[in-house]
Amino acid sequence: MTSPTEQRNPRTLAIDAVGTSEILQLVNNEDALVARAVSAVIPELTKAVDAAVEAIRGGGRVHYFGAGTSGRLAVLDAAELLPTFHVPDGLVVAHHAGGMQALLRAVENVEDSEEGGASDATAVTGQDLVVGLAASGSTPYVAGALKAARAAGATTVLVTSNPDAPLAPLADIVVAADTGPEVIAGSTRLKAGTAQKMILNAFSTTLMIKLGRTWSNLMVDLVATNKKLRGRMLRILAEATGADEAACETALAGADGELKPALVHLLTGTPIPAARAALEAAHGRVATALAELGNPA
C-alpha cells in the first residue's frame, strides 16, 4: 500500500498554473492542517515521553534514527538540547543515515540500507529508548535500527505520517500524525517534515521539563555560549527573583556562570555552595530544592 505522503493532493493539482500568491496560499492552507494532525497523536506522544523519562532515570539514553529530512530534523533537535537545557553530551543522540556527509548532500542508497541502521544502533542497550523517524513508515535504514533496538531490549517508538506504516510492528509506541498527501506528491520535507519537527519539539521539551531542566516556563539550565544567551540568563534571573542586574551578575559570577544555583541563592538567601548542594539532593529540580530550603517560590 502506498503511503498517503506519496499520493497526489487533489487540492493542489493546478498549483503550477496559478500565480505566486496563490501557490503560497495553497502551501499555507496545507500547513494549517499539521497542528491538528499532531494534536490527534498526543496520547501516543505522552506514552513516548513517559517511556523516555523512565529510560533516562534508569541510566539509559534516547536515540533518534532517521534518513533524509527525518534524520536532519533529528540532528537539529538533539543539537539544540545542549545550549537550551544543558543536556549532558550523549544523553540524546541523533543518528542520520549516511552520517555528517549526508546532512548537506544526499548520499546514494544510505536510507535503503537496513544493515546501516542496524550498524548505527550497535550502541543501543536495553536501558535506552529508540525513536525511529520515517514519514512514509517504511524506510529500511529505520527498520534496521528498530530491529536492532528491539533485539537489545530497548523501548522503540516510530514517528510517521502513515497511519498504516509497515514499520509499526517494530515499535512499542507508534506516533502517526496523519498529514495526508503533500502539496507536491512525495515531498515529505513539507507537511510530514513539519509534523516531525513539531513532534520532536514537543517530545524533547516535555522530556526536559519532566527531568527538572526548567523552573516554571524558564530555561534555568541554559548554557550561555554567546552574548545573547548571557543576556538571557540575566533576564531570567531578574524576572524570577526581582533582583537588579548588578545582584544577578554577582550571583552568576559566584555560581561560576551556572544559572540554577544563582537562582536558588537569590530566592532563598542561601549561600551558593548550600544552594548547589540542595539542587544536587533534588536531582536538579529547582522547585524541590526551594521547598527543601523552606521557600516554595
Side-chain angles (χ1 to χ4, degrees):
M1 180 182 292
T2 303
S3 169
T5 61
E6 299 297 321
Q7 296 170 5
R8 294 183 73 186
N9 190 326
R11 295 178 293 276
T12 62
L13 293 176
I15 197 168
D16 64 332
V18 298
T20 302
S21 178
E22 191 171 347
I23 293 172
L24 292 170
Q25 190 62 59
L26 287 168
V27 173
N28 185 252
N29 289 346
E30 295 299 310
D31 285 344
L33 304 175
V34 177
R36 188 169 63 199
V38 172
S39 177
V41 298
I42 285 177
E44 291 76 22
L45 193 52
T46 298
K47 295 176 185 176
V49 172
D50 287 343
V53 171
E54 183 178 351
I56 289 175
R57 286 179 175 165
R61 302 188 292 171
V62 171
H63 296 263
Y64 296 152
F65 289 89
T69 297
S70 300
R72 293 183 185 99
L73 290 169
V75 170
L76 176 66
D77 190 77
E80 290 182 340
L81 295 181
L82 173 60
T84 307
F85 298 109
H86 200 190
V87 174
D89 189 36
L91 189 68
V92 179
V93 187
H95 307 268
H96 184 216
M100 292 299 295
Q101 179 185 358
L103 285 174
L104 299 178
R105 187 184 300 273
V107 176
E108 188 175 4
N109 294 328
V110 291
E111 75 173 59
D112 296 328
S113 173
E114 277 202 26
E115 294 79 8
S119 176
D120 286 352
T122 53
V124 173
T125 74
Q127 295 175 298
D128 297 341
L129 179 129
V130 168
V131 180
L133 297 114
S136 67
S138 60
T139 308
Y141 172 83
V142 175
L146 291 175
K147 288 177 182 178
R150 269 275 176 91
T155 300
T156 54
V157 178
L158 175 66
V159 175
T160 181
S161 282
N162 184 355
D164 298 311
L167 299 186
L170 299 176
D172 300 305
I173 302 165
V174 178
V175 182
D178 187 2
T179 52
E182 295 288 359
V183 170
I184 304 299
S187 184
T188 53
R189 71 185 185 87
L190 299 172
K191 289 191 296 181
T194 300
Q196 288 180 338
K197 178 70 163 61
M198 291 176 70
I199 287 167
L200 285 172
N201 277 354
F203 171 83
S204 60
T205 300
T206 306
L207 175 60
M208 294 300 107
I209 293 167
K210 297 285 287 186
L211 293 175
R213 294 186 174 273
T214 64
W215 180 62
S216 182
N217 61 355
L218 298 174
M219 294 187 290
V220 292
D221 253 321
L222 177 71
V223 177
T225 56
N226 57 44
K227 182 178 180 180
K228 179 187 77 173
L229 294 181
R230 285 190 288 274
R232 183 177 294 165
M233 268 192 169
L234 289 173
R235 286 195 300 276
I236 287 172
L237 278 177
E239 288 174 7
T241 67
D244 61 28
E245 184 174 344
C248 291
E249 286 180 342
T250 299
L252 266 181
D256 299 321
E258 292 184 47
L259 200 156
K260 276 184 176 179
L263 175 63
V264 172
H265 160 70
L266 286 171
L267 285 172
T268 66
T270 304
I272 283 173
R276 198 186 300 277
L279 283 164
E280 290 175 1
H283 304 288
R285 296 186 67 89
V286 171
T288 304
L290 291 175
E292 288 298 317
L293 292 169
N295 184 347

